[in-house]
Amino acid sequence: MKQLDLHRIKHEDVEVLVENFILLNEPPLTIITGKSHMMRRLVREVCDKHDIKYEQWNNPGEYKIL
């Protein structure tokens, strides 16, 4: 499973990185956000914008793109 780690990525760069990662790869995918509430919100916004289903498993800093 491919994964995108957003540690050390600037918030202003997240939207484009996440969109490209999700739209150019086949699910399932993993996006690692870490503990940043802002980073988590940005990932959810991109998923919602493109009507992409996701889950947040036991680790709150990780999203599974379905």
Side-chain angles (χ1 to χ4, degrees):
M1 178 180 326
K2 287 191 175 187
Q3 68 180 20
L4 174 65
D5 188 345
L6 296 175
H7 286 103
R8 295 183 300 274
I9 301 296
K10 295 179 182 179
H11 290 142
E12 59 264 18
D13 298 331
V14 170
E15 183 177 357
V16 172
L17 283 174
V18 171
E19 277 182 337
N20 286 339
F21 179 68
I22 291 173
L23 297 176
L24 297 176
N25 293 289
E26 289 293 320
L29 304 167
T30 300
I31 299 177
I32 300 168
T33 61
K35 295 180 181 180
S36 168
H37 293 288
M38 173 69 126
M39 197 68 79
R40 289 187 228 166
R41 183 177 60 81
L42 292 169
V43 169
R44 287 191 308 268
E45 286 176 358
V46 171
C47 289
D48 293 342
K49 175 181 172 183
H50 293 282
D51 197 31
I52 294 169
K53 296 184 191 286
Y54 60 90
E55 288 182 347
Q56 200 173 11
W57 290 31
N58 293 335
N59 181 350
E62 185 174 295
Y63 286 88
K64 300 292 182 187
I65 307 302
L66 308 174

